[in-house]
Structures are given as structure tokens and as C-alpha cells.
Amino acid sequence: MSRRPLLLFPTPDTTSPSRRNGGGEEPHKPSVTRQGERLSPQFSRLEAALENRRIEVQNDTPGVDPEYTVVIETYSSVPDFFKAVRQIEGLEWLGEHEARDLEPDEDFYSLGSDSQSLLNGQVMLMLSDRRAIDELLSLWREYGQNPNMPFTRGWAKFRDLFSLLKDIRYWNTQDRLRNTGILEYWNDVLEFDADTSVRFEAELWFRTDIVKRENAHNNVTRLTQELGGQVISSCCIPDINYQSLLIELPAGQIENILRDSRVNLIRCDQVMLFRPLGQMSVEPLWSDTAESSNQVEEEVVNYEASRVEFDRLPRVALFDGLPLANHLDLRGSLIVDDPDDFESDYPAENRIHGTAMASLIVNGDLTEGARKLESPVYVRPIMKPDVRTANNIECLPDTELPLDIVHRAVRRLFEYDGEQDPVAPSIKVINLSIGDPNIHFNGKMSPFARLLDWLSSKYNVLFVVSAGNHSQSITVQQSGLDFHHLSDDRKATEIFKALQESNWERKLLSPAESVNAITVGSTHSDESTPVLRNGLYNIYDVEMPATYSAQGNGYARAVKPDIVMPGGKMLHNEAIGSSDISAVTNYAAPGQLVAHPSPSASNYRVYIRGTSNSAALASRGCVEICDTLEGLFDENDQNAQFEQYSPLLLKSLITHGASWGSMHDHISNHLGSVNSSTLKNVVARNIGYGKPDIDRVKFCLDTRATIIGYGVLENSEAHVYKLPIPEGLGGADIWRRLTVSLSWFAKPCPTHMKYRDSALWFTVEGENKDLTARSSKSVDWRQVKRGTLQHEVFEGEELAVITEDRTLLIKVNCKDNASRIVEPIKYGLAITLEVAEGVDIQLYQEIQEVIEEQIREQARAQLRAQVPTR
């Protein structure tokens, strides 16, 4: 069957949007009297805590009127409560985020069929002076005494708040320290070197008033200096509500804090939290404890890379460690941009991770022998070896905050800085195969994820991010000997169930929750042949989610990871005398074969595994699709449109060919008897929309047509696309499949729980508006609308009702979400209609003929409109 090129839709019609379904139900709520009983102690504790803090501040700094951060937690959400906050003078809205998986109790529980199902709520943060708190408390007391009291205009949201309130408290020292990893980090650093100075991050509450931001910066600096420390650097990015300081304190002061946290710096109300410096080290899922058999003995290699001129523009950027640009597998394929001169302090033998990621993007898994990319890869080193660690682990330097490093690197690609032109404005995709092991996604967007969302929106670039690795041991229910005697299938089932039961310990690593990025998890697959011996397990003999791959969902329960790619098989050691099964980490097979530094071979290769690999392979796939798109747009004289819309079309197309495939059945077999909803949730949490088929979206067939659309939408606007239906499908009992993928970049709104400034979604319209033949092996139809990528599959013998004009209508809708849409929203759309191979219908040809005629008619209409009337 011959390959056919992709098709472009004609300009769509503009209309008004359709109704957007969705929205959760409120839980059962207790009476006002019962709420009073529950909450009165909490309000009393809040009053006492604020009074104690006022006395502390007055003793330390007489005459200063302190401000406090108040935390409000609710069951369910209170929409637009921030508007009500403005009614109380002295309350300043700091932000809100979703609270996930709240345990029901006798007062709050689901009204659905399962009263024990988990609830989702809201966490709100406000800055307040004491007078504002007194007013809030007074309002609560009045409402408790008179539940029917009238609320003045603008205050009615407080009634909703009181009815759903779970807790109200003061943000204290423990909030700044717990669940951030900082205490563990301080202990680990002091255990390694008790005399060292310790660097860490202090993230401040972001204030919209620049004077208040400067005051907070100066105050935290003063408190740091009083402890004999210093502020190494700072970063403030107002667009994502981020202000943070990189602090260094002497080891002795850290020891004092660990013994007694009543230190002015730690108690400072202007600090939101302290966390380990997010160096995002890439201590990978491999090591040199076992030698690979792929070493080739040659002369000692000089890895100094020579300048190479390229015929094509780079389309993908790799932000990672410094690679060996002169390795035989990479030579002539990389543009290394090193403005910070990392190379001068980056020995060749330590250039491991960047070399591996560059190898996967350029070559794919070397075992497969695929063609090199035709365009070069732009590389910006953002990591370097940490000489203080035993293995010189590659990580972000500790002289700057990570967000500042990445922000500068992206800005350098696309902006003129007053001295130098943008260095690589042709970039469409940025690969980030790194993650912060200290920040596991728990429902609140991390600063790094917010940064990627803002940068993708600002610069129109697609980030491809690894989901994150979790290499800790897997604890099964059986002891080592009992587990050993299980069948291979039963072992796989026990492992998979253990991973699902510990999913809270295996969440996405920041910034993988980014709503605009493509987040990539791993499957347990590669092209190598593992050599097994006694005491080693190859857990899965079929393609499954990798045991090390982080699990979703994303923000507001959106689909995350978006897709999965092969990440390499991970072997595990047999448990002896325990129930813990540990991973095997070495450079030997199985895994994916990549370039690697060696002092004696210029083509040395090793086997590796991890979600970093999967992200790199996804980026490679994006470049392959980008080459196809560039040719298509060039042939249609739409080069300007290619530059504008290709990042979004790449986001849609890399997902468009994705499916759950056999992994759905394998997961179902291991889960056992669960309902379809639970099964879908587990599958989506592990593999998102599934594994992409890159070749599938690069061309069409006689029986399969993929048509691409794009455009910009204002608030309350929609575009209608008309998909021609071949006559042969009318009334025929022929299996057919419709796949639709829509993506856009939302501007982040950090203080709003809805987070995305805009909501786009597609609907099937006309006589097919009730189309419900969704594939049983696809993500729940409600979940697909929670992010910025909606991918749905419809299939069956009665999929499309043939209308009188043989047209299927797909509408792309746009509405405000968390804020007013300031600039029109660009989107990318891919639609595929197909029938089974062998069916005697020239589906592609018939669709192509109709679309080409529609384009010609639009061109004629434009010419007629340009002719002046007499």
C-alpha cells in the first residue's frame, strides 16, 4: 500500500463555542451547628498562634506590625473566593491549589454510589494583618450564631467557605521545613562533611508590590548575615509569582537549626519554605560496576570538538550535561553553545549524561541502527560534575538557582539581549531529561513547572520532559523464598500491584507536571537481549510500564505522563531474607545502547535505562515529524505558518499516533478483577495516552488520511473543521476509526486553582454531536479535557453517521479559564480517519479531492473579494 502525504485543512469557519461538559459534585456537608463544633477549636488555635507570633516579633523588632500567612483548607472548591478576599482590608491573596485524595469522614463524604471514595478539595493562602484576621473571625462567629444571616454584596462566598471548611491555621515554621526534603538534606550534608558551608533555597511569598519584594529580600539577607551566612544569588520572575534566594550558612548554624528551629531566619514570615537547592543531579539508573562488552580498544582519543558548519537549522535543543561532541556516534551532529564555559572544568570522562542523551536524540537506540537525524542538535550545558561527590555526579551548579539557569538558557535562544542576536531561534523543541528528586508532585505546581509553562507560552516552544525515575526497592508481600517459588506471571503481578500500592512514593518529579510540556514516562522495553543468571529477575516478558518510571496524574488530575517511550529493561535482584527487590544498575545489557566516554576508544558504547532515555527518544521523534511538517508547509507555500504553529502541531502529532495497545491488556491481567473506570485510571496514571507510533503520523495510506489544522482563537470563539466522509462509508458495516488530537499552550495563572488562562476543547458537531463510540482502550473522556492536550479515539462499525452533505464537523472551542485571555490562543489540530486495510475504499483519495477543491474555492472567494465593485 502506497504512502501518501499529510493533508492540510482549508481555513475553518468561525462560530461561537459549544457547551463544555464537566465539573464535580459537592460532597455531603454537615450542618452549620456541626461545623461550629468542628471548627471552633481550630479558630481558637489560630488566634493563639497569631498572638504568640505577634509577641515574638514585637520582642525581636519593637514597633513592627507583623503579617501572617493563613492557610485555609476546604472539601470541594470555592470558586473565585479570591474576589471575596478583597472585601476585607488587610487580606492579600497569595494563591490556591488543589488538595487531592482527601479521606472522607462522618461529616464530609461523597454523595455518589461509593461514600468512601476519596475527595478533592482546595488549599487557599492569604497574607493578613491582625485586624483583618479579627474581622474574619468576627464574620465566622456571626454566621455560626445566625446561619440565615444575609451577606452583603461580594461577601456571599464566605458562606460557601464556612460550609466546606476543613481547616484554618497559621503557616508556621514546620510548614517551611517539613515535606520539602530540607531537614534530610541538611543531615546528609553534615554527615558527609561536618565543617562545610551549606547552600539551600529560601523561596519567599511572592508579593505583587515591588517595594514589598525588595523589603522581603533585604530582611532575609539581614537575617542570613546575622547567622554568619550570605546570599549567593537570587531570582525573581514576576510572571510566575516566583522570588527566591540561594543562601549559604556555616555548618554550625545548620546544626543549631536542626537542634532548635527557633531561629529568626527560619521563623521569618516572609519565607514560604526552605528546600534543598534543586541541582537536579542525574545520578542515573546505571553505573560502571559491571563492564559492557562493547568496548573497542583504540588509540587514546582527543575529544576536542572542531567547528562544524551545518546545512540545516537545528530544531531541537538539549539542556543537559556537556556531551562528547567528537565521539564517533555524535561527530558532525551537535552545535554546542557554552557561554558559561562549563567545558573548562568538565573532564571528558565525566561527560556521561549529556553524551547519552545526545546519542539517543541523534541516533536513537544504537542497537536498532536507525538513521541519524538530518538536522543538528543544539546543546546548552546546564550541568557540570560536582567534585564534592564520590562519583563526580553531574548536576546543576550550586552558584545559581535552577530556574535562573534555565530561564537564561531559553531566553538566549530566542531574544536579543542588547549585544547578541538570538543564538537558535529555529528551535521548536527543548529536551529536559532531568528532574528534581526533592519535589514530588502532590497537587501543587512547582516553580520549575510554572516556569516551563510560561516559557513555552512566551516563546512558542515545546518542552519534552522526563517523568522522573524512582529506583528504590520494590516491597512485595511475600518473603524472598516465597516470592522465589512463584510463577513468572505471578511475580510480575505481585511487582505491579506493589508499585501501584506505593504510587504516592513514585509521583512525578518536578517539572514533569508542567501542563504545556509533553511529559514522557518509560516502558520496560528495548532491543537488547538480557543475559540472566541465578538471582536476577527480568520482571516483565511483555511491554509494560517500567518499574522505575514515575506515575501520574498531573495538575487537576490531567493526563500525565502524556506518553511513554521505551526506556530500557531493568533487571532486579532476587530478594534474600526480605521482601525488598532491588534494581540492578550497570552498563551491561539490557538497556538502550548509547555513546559513552572512554579514554581509549572513540566509539565506546554502553547500555543504559531511564525516563531520561524516553524523553530523548520522544524529542528525536518530534524532529522526525518536524521534518515532515516543514516539507508539507513548504510545498503549500505556508512557511510562515510552519514557524508559528509547528511546536503545537508537534505536540498534537507526537501524541496522535499513541495508543494503549497491548499494554492495556497486560495491565488488566496483572490488576485482576477491577471495574473499567479503575482500570482506565491505573492505565492512564502509568502510560498516559500510550506509546506513540512516529511513522504512523508522518504519512497516510490509501485507507488512512491525516489532516492537519491550526489557527488562533479569541475568548468565546470556535473554529469548525469539515471532514469529508467518503461515499463508500455510507450505510456500510465497515470498521472505521476517528482520532482527534488538539493542543495549545496556556499562559499560567499561578495564584488561581484553575491555573490555565484558557480552556480549549474539541467537540463533534451536527448529526454526529452525540458520537459516543470512544475506544474502550483510551483515557476517560472527562480527563482528556483537564490539560492542554486532548487526544480521543472513536472506533466501530457505526462510528460516523453520514450526513446529507457527507461531512463530519469537528469544532475547536475556546473560553477564558483562570483569567481573561489577553492574546489570541494558537492551537494545533490533527484528525485521522481510517478504515481497515484491505477495504475497497479509496478513502485518502476521496478526502484529498474534496479538501483540495475546498481550498481552491476559498482562494477564488478571496480573489473575488479583492476585486473592487463598480
Side-chain angles (χ1 to χ4, degrees):
M1 186 172 290
S2 58
R3 294 188 173 192
R4 307 278 195 164
L6 302 179
L7 300 171
L8 289 174
F9 270 114
T11 304
D13 297 333
T14 301
T15 184
S16 57
S18 299
R19 182 176 178 271
R20 186 170 182 235
N21 295 322
E25 296 182 356
E26 282 196 4
H28 170 273
K29 297 179 291 188
S31 66
V32 175
T33 301
R34 173 58 184 153
Q35 272 292 75
E37 295 172 356
R38 292 179 67 255
L39 298 175
S40 291
Q42 298 173 17
F43 278 103
S44 297
R45 283 194 294 269
L46 174 64
E47 286 187 282
L50 298 187
E51 179 61 19
N52 290 338
R53 182 57 182 151
R54 185 191 66 79
I55 294 172
E56 290 173 350
V57 172
Q58 288 288 330
N59 290 337
D60 293 335
T61 315
V64 172
D65 185 19
E67 292 180 306
Y68 319 90
T69 299
V70 176
V71 185
I72 296 176
E73 301 177 21
T74 62
Y75 290 100
S76 190
S77 63
V78 185
D80 297 333
F81 182 68
F82 65 94
K83 294 179 181 177
V85 167
R86 297 173 186 167
Q87 304 298 319
I88 297 182
E89 185 179 352
L91 283 183
E92 181 177 342
W93 185 254
L94 294 176
E96 61 183 343
H97 63 268
E98 185 183 49
R100 295 165 44 166
D101 298 336
L102 304 177
E103 292 284 350
D105 60 22
E106 61 180 351
D107 295 311
F108 290 94
Y109 53 84
S110 174
L111 290 171
S113 57
D114 182 8
S115 63
Q116 295 306 306
S117 61
L118 298 176
L119 302 173
N120 290 291
Q122 184 176 2
V123 176
M124 291 168 274
L125 301 157
M126 300 182 302
L127 199 67
S128 172
D129 58 27
R130 185 54 195 267
R131 184 176 57 181
I133 286 293
D134 288 341
E135 190 166 350
L136 177 62
L137 294 172
S138 175
L139 185 64
W140 159 251
R141 294 190 189 99
E142 187 178 352
Y143 174 68
Q145 294 170 1
N146 180 16
N148 297 317
M149 65 174 278
F151 283 78
T152 57
R153 182 178 177 83
W155 291 67
K157 286 293 180 182
F158 281 96
R159 179 192 293 112
D160 299 336
L161 172 72
F162 294 147
S163 68
L164 293 169
L165 194 59
K166 177 178 182 285
D167 193 11
I168 183 167
R169 59 186 176 82
Y170 163 59
W171 184 276
N172 59 23
T173 299
Q174 291 305 309
D175 291 298
R176 298 185 192 97
L177 298 176
R178 70 181 170 211
N179 299 326
T180 67
I182 190 65
L183 297 176
E184 297 83 355
Y185 171 72
W186 282 339
N187 278 306
D188 290 344
V189 171
L190 294 181
E191 184 177 349
F192 179 77
D193 186 351
D195 297 321
T196 188
S197 295
V198 183
R199 292 183 179 180
F200 56 94
E201 181 178 358
E203 184 177 351
L204 310 186
W205 293 109
F206 184 82
R207 310 297 296 273
T208 55
D209 187 325
I210 189 172
V211 175
K212 291 181 179 179
R213 293 204 298 267
E214 291 174 352
N215 290 340
H217 181 285
N218 294 336
N219 189 43
V220 174
T221 300
R222 176 182 61 82
L223 294 174
T224 301
Q225 291 171 345
E226 288 177 358
L227 296 175
Q230 60 177 326
V231 173
I232 303 298
S233 68
S234 63
C235 179
C236 183
I237 307 175
D239 294 272
I240 61 170
N241 282 32
Y242 176 76
Q243 182 182 11
S244 208
L245 279 66
L246 172 54
I247 289 175
E248 182 181 78
L249 286 181
Q253 294 292 357
I254 297 296
E255 290 178 347
N256 292 337
I257 293 170
L258 289 171
R259 285 194 298 266
D260 185 354
S261 60
R262 288 176 296 180
V263 175
N264 284 341
L265 174 63
I266 304 303
R267 294 188 300 172
C268 178
D269 290 295
Q270 292 160 316
V271 176
M272 179 170 68
L273 52 82
F274 299 96
R275 66 164 61 98
L277 181 59
Q279 291 178 274
M280 302 186 187
S281 61
V282 287
E283 188 169 15
L285 300 181
W286 62 83
S287 68
D288 56 4
T289 55
E291 288 295 319
S292 166
S293 61
N294 297 281
Q295 184 172 3
V296 179
E297 295 295 336
E298 292 187 0
E299 73 284 356
V300 175
V301 178
N302 178 7
Y303 281 117
E304 293 298 323
S306 57
R307 182 72 180 175
V308 179
E309 297 296 329
F310 297 96
D311 296 329
R312 303 190 64 170
L313 295 171
R315 296 304 186 188
V316 62
L318 172 64
F319 289 3
D320 209 280
L322 184 67
L324 291 172
N326 222 27
H327 190 287
L328 285 182
D329 291 323
L330 299 176
R331 192 170 296 168
S333 296
L334 306 181
I335 300 173
V336 178
D337 180 28
D338 186 18
D340 299 321
D341 192 27
F342 281 17
E343 184 179 19
S344 63
D345 192 26
Y346 215 131
E349 63 268 21
N350 296 135
R351 302 179 191 181
I352 297 172
H353 199 267
T355 299
M357 296 305 104
S359 178
L360 286 165
I361 294 175
V362 170
N363 307 294
D365 182 349
L366 287 165
T367 305
E368 299 181 24
R371 292 177 57 186
K372 284 190 173 185
L373 290 183
E374 296 181 6
S375 57
V377 176
Y378 169 93
V379 181
R380 168 66 183 267
I382 61 172
M383 297 193 295
K384 61 195 311 184
D386 187 345
V387 297
R388 298 167 299 181
T389 60
N391 299 320
N392 290 339
I393 294 171
E394 295 170 276
C395 57
L396 273 67
D398 66 354
T399 54
E400 291 181 80
L401 289 161
L403 270 67
D404 206 14
I405 295 172
V406 173
H407 184 201
R408 287 194 300 106
V410 175
R411 191 171 55 200
R412 179 178 170 84
L413 292 176
F414 302 110
E415 276 193 24
Y416 174 69
D417 65 2
E419 296 180 0
Q420 183 173 345
D421 290 332
V423 296
S426 61
I427 293 297
K428 308 301 179 191
V429 177
I430 298 176
N431 186 96
L432 272 174
S433 286
I434 57 177
D436 190 339
N438 298 303
I439 305 181
H440 295 203
F441 178 62
N442 64 355
K444 181 181 179 182
M445 296 296 291
S446 68
F448 201 172
R450 300 200 307 265
L451 176 69
L452 298 194
D453 290 334
W454 174 62
L455 291 173
S456 61
S457 174
K458 178 178 175 65
Y459 294 113
N460 191 31
V461 64
L462 175 63
F463 286 92
V464 174
V465 181
S466 55
N469 297 328
H470 292 286
S471 58
Q472 65 264 38
S473 297
I474 305 168
T475 302
V476 293
Q477 292 185 350
Q478 299 81 5
S479 66
L481 186 60
D482 291 339
F483 188 81
H484 173 79
H485 290 300
L486 297 177
S487 67
D488 289 346
D489 285 346
R490 180 69 186 282
K491 287 174 183 173
T493 294
E494 293 300 323
I495 288 285
F496 185 75
K497 286 184 176 179
L499 291 170
Q500 304 317 303
E501 290 170 0
S502 62
N503 70 85
W504 269 108
E505 302 169 7
R506 300 174 182 273
K507 291 297 185 183
L508 302 171
L509 301 186
S510 170
E513 75 272 23
S514 162
V515 301
N516 285 342
I518 287 288
T519 301
V520 190
S522 290
T523 62
H524 177 85
S525 58
D526 58 53
E527 295 301 314
S528 70
T529 302
V531 178
L532 299 178
R533 55 172 172 77
N534 288 337
L536 281 186
Y537 295 132
N538 180 25
I539 299 297
Y540 303 125
D541 59 2
V542 294
E543 191 164 32
M544 282 281 288
T547 57
Y548 51 79
S549 187
Q551 299 181 28
N553 298 308
Y555 187 74
R557 302 178 304 287
V559 178
K560 286 289 174 179
D562 297 281
I563 57 174
V564 287
M565 295 286 281
K569 301 167 189 161
M570 174 75 81
L571 301 184
H572 289 78
N573 290 305
E574 183 174 356
I576 300 176
S578 76
S579 300
D580 293 339
I581 298 173
S582 60
V584 177
T585 57
N586 56 41
Y587 282 139
Q592 290 156 329
L593 194 60
V594 297
H596 187 79
S598 169
S600 60
S602 60
N603 63 341
Y604 187 56
R605 300 169 173 177
V606 297
Y607 290 97
I608 64 170
R609 56 211 67 84
T611 58
S612 293
N613 302 19
S614 303
L617 291 176
S619 293
R620 172 181 169 84
C622 284
V623 178
E624 293 180 21
I625 298 170
C626 190
D627 290 343
T628 299
L629 285 178
E630 189 170 11
L632 175 68
F633 278 75
D634 183 60
E635 290 171 5
N636 287 272
D637 296 322
Q638 295 188 26
N639 301 89
Q641 288 83 348
F642 168 79
E643 294 298 331
Q644 283 291 309
Y645 295 100
S646 54
L648 289 163
L649 290 171
L650 292 175
K651 183 175 177 178
S652 293
L653 287 169
I654 191 70
T655 313
H656 194 62
S659 68
W660 286 353
S662 61
M663 279 190 285
H664 170 276
D665 296 333
H666 299 155
I667 291 173
S668 177
N669 292 337
H670 289 311
L671 275 182
S673 298
V674 296
N675 61 46
S676 60
S677 176
T678 298
L679 175 59
K680 282 196 171 194
N681 288 339
V682 172
V683 176
R685 191 174 70 214
N686 281 271
I687 64 173
Y689 288 117
K691 180 181 175 182
D693 184 338
I694 305 301
D695 282 341
R696 176 182 171 82
V697 297
K698 288 163 52 179
F699 58 85
C700 305
L701 298 173
D702 294 338
T703 56
R704 185 182 79 221
T706 298
I707 313 97
I708 294 169
Y710 55 86
V712 292
L713 287 169
E714 302 274 5
N715 177 45
S716 298
E717 256 189 359
H719 283 164
V720 176
Y721 289 88
K722 299 176 181 178
L723 176 65
I725 302 297
E727 186 173 6
L729 284 181
D733 292 333
I734 299 172
W735 175 90
R736 74 289 302 267
R737 176 190 289 144
L738 174 71
T739 305
V740 186
S741 304
L742 168 70
S743 68
W744 80 100
F745 293 146
K747 183 179 178 181
C749 301
T751 63
H752 202 294
M753 193 167 76
K754 291 183 179 179
Y755 185 69
R756 305 169 299 167
D757 71 325
S758 50
L760 272 68
W761 71 102
F762 71 77
T763 49
V764 182
E765 298 292 323
E767 295 178 38
N768 293 283
K769 65 181 179 180
D770 295 323
L771 186 66
T772 57
R774 291 177 170 87
S775 170
S776 61
K777 296 182 179 180
S778 61
V779 181
D780 181 85
W781 65 273
R782 290 158 295 197
Q783 188 176 11
V784 298
K785 298 178 182 178
R786 292 173 177 159
T788 59
L789 175 62
Q790 181 184 357
H791 171 71
E792 294 203 65
V793 181
F794 308 85
E795 62 183 2
E797 292 184 349
E798 298 180 357
L799 172 65
V801 178
I802 306 306
T803 60
E804 189 172 331
D805 60 355
R806 291 171 34 216
T807 300
L808 185 67
L809 303 179
I810 306 291
K811 183 190 286 190
V812 178
N813 308 273
C814 178
K815 291 282 286 185
D816 287 342
N817 196 50
S819 71
R820 183 174 62 87
I821 294 176
V822 177
E823 297 179 0
I825 307 296
K826 292 195 288 283
Y827 67 85
L829 176 71
I831 300 176
T832 295
L833 182 63
E834 61 187 305
V835 296
E837 291 188 26
V839 173
D840 188 20
I841 295 179
Q842 293 300 308
L843 182 143
Y844 178 90
Q845 182 178 335
E846 292 190 43
I847 291 178
Q848 180 188 35
E849 289 173 354
V850 175
I851 284 180
E852 289 180 347
E853 176 56 32
Q854 290 173 348
I855 292 173
R856 287 192 291 269
E857 177 55 35
Q858 284 187 348
R860 290 192 290 267
Q862 289 176 353
L863 286 175
R864 289 194 296 269
Q866 293 171 3
V867 175
T869 56
R870 299 195 178 187

